[in-house]
């Protein structure tokens, strides 16, 4: 589904992501694990086209996305939920969801309302005034209305209460089953990653240093990668 | 003001008030376009006044053409001028954004300089094409004359018409911004450009349309302007300072603020002008605005939301 090869990103002269390569199959949840500053967010921003990549290829169902502006990547089936959620704060909840629709006549599918009841319940509230967990649901809904084949989620658990993190994990697995969606999620919280992921990658200083399936995942080894 | 009875004084106030409303209309139309461009895209368009001039010259041309070739059209040309003025300014704005502005989004100071240069080029083009002398469009007969609700009060019809036009256009812009999907894309892009792209909005296209729309509205302001003044190459640049004042005073991202601020600036100026010289009136208006901006740096209205 998503195929990343020799993917390199740099800020000016300093290279941050070095020739990263991975694949994520249809209906698979892939977790990218790593501590702060290891290049997770940079990788994700560059995959969606907010940051330019210096080299390598990103293929979605065989089509190369490298060099395309963000909105064209979204049209080809990639969706992105950034770290820190980034709702449009002064727009209402409903308006935030509507921004993901391409055409004037499109409407929000009923499925979205049943997955995220808060969108109907809080439709007219300003998105900026929602709590972190509510905003997280909102931005996932906003990404889903673009009908993606692959969803990129950057640190969805950051700044969210532990009790809600459990709900979020259930939600992601449900969305994956419902839509056959491929999800690539970057994460530092090991328990969350083990709840949702089919496979885990470990990124360190911009290199992928380890990968494993969930069945083989060893919390002790992973814990070592994540501890400071 | 000796010997002026109380009712005469009231009439003067009302008439000056209506005078102010004509100025208010042109200012508001200008500010609307500028607020969209400045507030939404952060581009300070020093050439905005010239788009008013484009609308005014378009109106003049249509007036001359209809007198020469289609006298039966003389009474209606003004309606056409509003639409054509919008269209011409819109198309030129679209081209300007494509050729120049889009390369300058990340350099606000350069865009200031570049649009100022553009305004000089445009002024000289007007001068070379239409000559340095001011020209006037012939007003259709139904815009001449005045409405007299009562002895001593004369309200010019052209002022009333311009005001109605302004109200209609303001409502249309508000509806477009707040109730259409296109407006939603504009507002999303303003709040977070990178994120707007990442939810599938073609932000470059939104920018171009927004800029062109702002210029188109200035074109309509130009058509409206011909009813209250005569058109010269620098007609628009005389309005640019006042217009910026309206936008900054109103709070750059608030439509309601823009309306309130255009109204208060135009009214203060026009009412004071009757009692003192024009420049004194300007001094007092400006001082008041500076005072208020010191207390409320974000303008009259601002958005309150958790960031």
């Amino acid at each position: 589904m998503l195929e990343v090869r020799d993917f390199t990103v740099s800020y000016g002269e300093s290279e941050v992501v070095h020739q990263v390569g991975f694949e994520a199959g249809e209906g698979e949840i892939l977790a990218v694990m790593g501590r702060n500053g290891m290049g997770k967010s940079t990788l994700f921003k560059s995959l969606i086209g907010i940051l330019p990549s210096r080299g390598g290829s990103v293929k979605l169902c065989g089509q190369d996305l490298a060099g395309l502006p963000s909105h064209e990547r979204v049209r080809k089936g990639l969706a992105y939920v950034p770290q820190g959620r980034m709702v449009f704060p002064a727009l209402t909840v409903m308006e935030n969801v509507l921004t993901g629709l391409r055409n004037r006549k499109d409407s929000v599918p009923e499925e979205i309302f049943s997955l995220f009841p808060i969108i109907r319940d809080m439709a007219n509230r300003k998105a900026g005034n929602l709590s972190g967990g509510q905003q997280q649901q909102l931005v996932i809904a906003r990404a889903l209305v673009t009908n993606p084949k692959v969803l990129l989620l950057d640190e969805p658990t950051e700044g969210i209460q532990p009790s809600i993190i459990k709900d979020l994990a259930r939600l992601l697995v449900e969305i994956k089953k419902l839509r056959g969606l491929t999800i690539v999620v970057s994460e530092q919280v090991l328990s969350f990653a083990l709840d949702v992921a089919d496979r885990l990658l470990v990124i360190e200083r911009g290199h992928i240093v380890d990968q494993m399936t969930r069945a083989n995942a060893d919390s002790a080894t992973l814990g070592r990668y994540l501890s400071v | 003001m000796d010997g002026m009875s109380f009712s005469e004084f009231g009439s003067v106030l009302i008439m000056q008030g209506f005078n102010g409303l004509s100025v208010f209309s042109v200012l508001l139309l200008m500010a609307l376009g500028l607020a969209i461009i400045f507030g939404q895209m952060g581009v300070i368009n020093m050439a905005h006044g010239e788009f008013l001039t484009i609308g005014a010259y378009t109106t003049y041309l249509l007036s001359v053409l209809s007198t020469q070739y289609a006298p039966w059209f003389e009474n209606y040309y003004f309606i056409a001028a509003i639409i054509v003025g919008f269209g011409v300014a819109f198309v030129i704005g679209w081209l300007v954004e494509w050729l120049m502005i889009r390369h300058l989004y990340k350099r606000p100071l350069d865009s200031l300089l570049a649009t100022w240069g553009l305004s000089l080029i445009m002024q000289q083009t007007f001068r070379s094409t239409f000559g340095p002398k001011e020209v006037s469009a012939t007003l259709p007969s139904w815009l001449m004359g005045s409405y007299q609700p009562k002895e001593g009060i004369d309200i010019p019809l052209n002022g009333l018409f311009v005001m109605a036009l302004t109200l209609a256009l303001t409502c249309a812009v508000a509806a477009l911004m707040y109730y259409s999907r296109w407006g939603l894309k504009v507002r999303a892009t303003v709040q977070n450009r990178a994120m707007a792209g990442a939810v599938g909005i073609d932000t470059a296209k939104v920018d171009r349309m927004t800029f062109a729309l702002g210029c188109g509205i200035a074109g309509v302001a130009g058509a409206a302007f011909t009813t209250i003044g005569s058109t010269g190459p620098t007609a628009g640049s005389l309005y640019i300072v006042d217009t910026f004042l309206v936008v900054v005073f109103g709070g750059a991202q608030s439509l309601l603020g823009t309306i309130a601020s255009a109204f208060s600036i135009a009214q203060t100026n026009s009412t004071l002008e009757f009692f003192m010289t024009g420049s004194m009136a300007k001094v007092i208006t400006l001082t008041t605005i500076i005072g208020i901006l010191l207390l409320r740096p974000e303008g009259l209205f601002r958005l309150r939301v958790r960031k």
Side-chain angles (χ1 to χ4, degrees):
Chain A
M1 202 37 114
L2 182 71
E3 236 188 280
V4 179
R5 290 273 161 269
D6 295 328
F7 199 69
T8 304
V9 190
S10 53
Y11 293 105
E13 287 304 299
S14 71
E15 202 172 287
V16 180
V17 172
H18 317 282
Q19 304 193 323
V20 162
F22 63 87
E23 270 170 45
E26 193 173 337
E28 185 182 35
I29 300 188
L30 178 70
V32 178
M33 310 295 296
R35 289 195 299 269
N36 279 332
M38 290 303 162
K40 298 190 299 295
S41 288
T42 305
L43 172 67
F44 275 51
K45 277 186 191 161
S46 191
L47 287 175
I48 191 65
I50 290 177
L51 286 175
S53 56
R54 173 170 276 190
S57 70
V58 185
K59 283 195 175 140
L60 187 88
C61 304
Q63 311 177 74
D64 198 355
L65 301 182
L68 292 180
S70 302
H71 70 273
E72 285 185 25
R73 296 182 197 220
V74 174
R75 275 173 206 177
K76 296 234 190 295
L78 197 62
Y80 170 66
V81 171
Q83 188 177 18
R85 301 177 283 279
M86 306 291 162
V87 294
F88 299 115
L91 300 189
T92 66
V93 168
M94 185 57 93
E95 285 175 335
N96 263 275
V97 178
L98 291 177
T99 56
L101 295 175
R102 185 172 165 193
N103 295 312
R104 193 163 25 143
K105 292 197 178 112
D106 297 345
S107 57
V108 180
E110 195 53 38
E111 182 188 270
I112 298 289
F113 293 119
S114 49
L115 278 170
F116 308 95
I118 61 146
I119 288 167
R120 192 164 272 155
D121 298 345
M122 302 190 167
N124 295 318
R125 294 263 299 271
K126 291 266 184 282
N129 297 333
L130 263 51
S131 76
Q134 292 165 335
Q135 288 189 352
Q136 190 65 60
Q137 294 184 48
L138 173 57
V139 287
I140 293 175
R142 183 177 69 182
L144 286 181
V145 294
T146 64
N147 266 324
K149 299 185 185 101
V150 175
L151 175 64
L152 304 171
L153 273 169
D154 197 3
E155 296 218 26
T157 60
E158 189 203 31
I160 288 178
Q161 285 179 43
S163 62
I164 311 245
I165 290 181
K166 283 272 172 207
D167 295 339
L168 190 63
R170 262 198 301 278
L171 189 68
L172 287 186
V173 174
E174 194 185 334
I175 293 169
K176 178 191 89 164
K177 284 193 186 135
L178 211 60
R179 296 211 167 190
L181 193 67
T182 303
I183 302 179
V184 183
V185 54
S186 84
E187 202 41 77
Q188 300 195 50
V189 178
L190 187 54
S191 59
F192 177 79
L194 290 173
D195 273 352
V196 297
D198 302 306
R199 212 149 50 84
L200 299 96
L201 302 178
V202 179
I203 186 168
E204 238 179 20
R205 294 174 211 283
H207 293 281
I208 290 190
V209 293
D210 204 351
Q211 51 178 313
M212 63 205 74
T213 60
R214 177 170 49 184
N216 306 333
D218 165 19
S219 330
T221 324
L222 278 168
R224 236 183 344 270
Y225 283 123
L226 294 172
S227 62
V228 183
Chain B
M1 252 163 275
D2 294 329
M4 192 186 248
S5 76
F6 189 72
S7 83
E8 271 172 346
F9 180 68
S11 304
V12 164
L13 264 192
I14 290 174
M15 275 159 63
Q16 279 304 109
F18 265 93
N19 223 337
L21 283 180
S22 298
V23 180
F24 157 69
S25 302
V26 175
L27 263 188
L28 178 58
L29 286 179
M30 283 284 282
L32 218 55
L34 200 68
I36 292 174
I37 293 169
F38 174 60
Q40 320 272 333
M41 303 153 81
V43 170
I44 297 175
N45 181 16
M46 293 298 284
H48 200 68
E50 275 57 50
F51 286 91
L52 176 144
T53 320
I54 286 177
Y57 274 122
T58 306
T59 310
Y60 165 72
L61 273 183
L62 279 180
S63 154
V64 172
L65 286 177
S66 67
T67 313
Q68 270 184 351
Y69 299 104
W72 56 270
F73 196 57
E74 253 184 341
N75 262 334
Y76 311 104
Y77 89 89
F78 195 73
I79 306 286
I82 292 168
I83 298 162
V84 177
F86 178 88
V88 173
F90 184 92
V91 169
I92 296 178
W94 197 93
L95 287 173
V96 166
E97 203 278 350
W98 182 62
L99 286 171
M100 192 170 101
I101 309 285
R102 72 183 167 126
H103 305 291
L104 300 170
Y105 282 124
K106 285 174 187 143
R107 299 182 284 169
L109 278 179
D110 293 352
S111 74
L112 186 81
L113 203 63
T115 52
W116 187 57
L118 177 70
S119 96
L120 295 181
I121 293 172
M122 286 169 83
Q123 281 176 30
Q124 190 52 47
T125 313
F126 299 142
R127 203 168 283 126
S128 313
T129 318
F130 298 96
K133 263 176 61 187
E134 294 195 337
V135 295
S136 291
T138 335
L139 279 186
S141 53
W142 52 272
L143 272 182
M144 311 245 229
S146 60
Y147 163 65
Q148 273 184 303
K150 144 176 185 294
E151 192 65 31
I153 298 181
D154 276 308
I155 295 165
L157 284 180
N158 57 7
L160 282 176
F161 176 78
V162 167
M163 227 179 70
L165 174 68
T166 306
L167 279 180
L169 200 65
T170 309
C171 293
V173 170
L176 191 65
M177 278 297 175
Y178 291 98
Y179 297 102
S180 78
R181 287 282 168 85
W182 183 78
L184 184 62
K185 286 180 180 176
V186 175
R187 287 181 293 144
T189 307
V190 172
Q191 288 179 45
N192 191 333
R193 187 167 295 267
M195 200 53 233
V199 294
I201 296 171
D202 184 348
T203 53
K205 198 169 128 198
V206 166
D207 285 339
R208 193 155 315 144
M209 285 291 291
T210 310
F211 192 85
L213 178 71
C215 293
I217 297 171
V220 178
F225 170 78
T226 57
T227 67
I228 57 171
S230 46
T231 310
T234 55
S237 59
L238 298 177
Y239 272 92
I240 193 78
V241 174
D242 278 0
T243 309
F244 269 115
L245 218 57
V246 167
V247 172
V248 174
F249 185 51
Q253 291 187 349
S254 160
L255 196 61
L256 201 65
T258 307
I259 297 170
S261 117
F263 182 80
S264 48
I265 290 178
Q267 285 303 340
T268 317
N269 219 351
S270 152
T271 315
L272 288 178
E273 255 174 13
F274 185 75
F275 298 103
M276 52 191 81
T277 62
S279 26
M280 256 331 266
K282 193 117 246 177
V283 168
I284 293 182
T285 316
L286 275 175
T287 318
T288 320
I289 291 173
I290 292 171
I292 295 175
L293 278 179
L294 279 176
L295 297 173
R296 293 183 70 96
E298 287 181 52
L300 286 178
F301 293 84
R302 62 179 171 209
L303 292 170
R304 281 194 191 81
V305 70
R306 220 165 76 171
K307 292 257 164 91

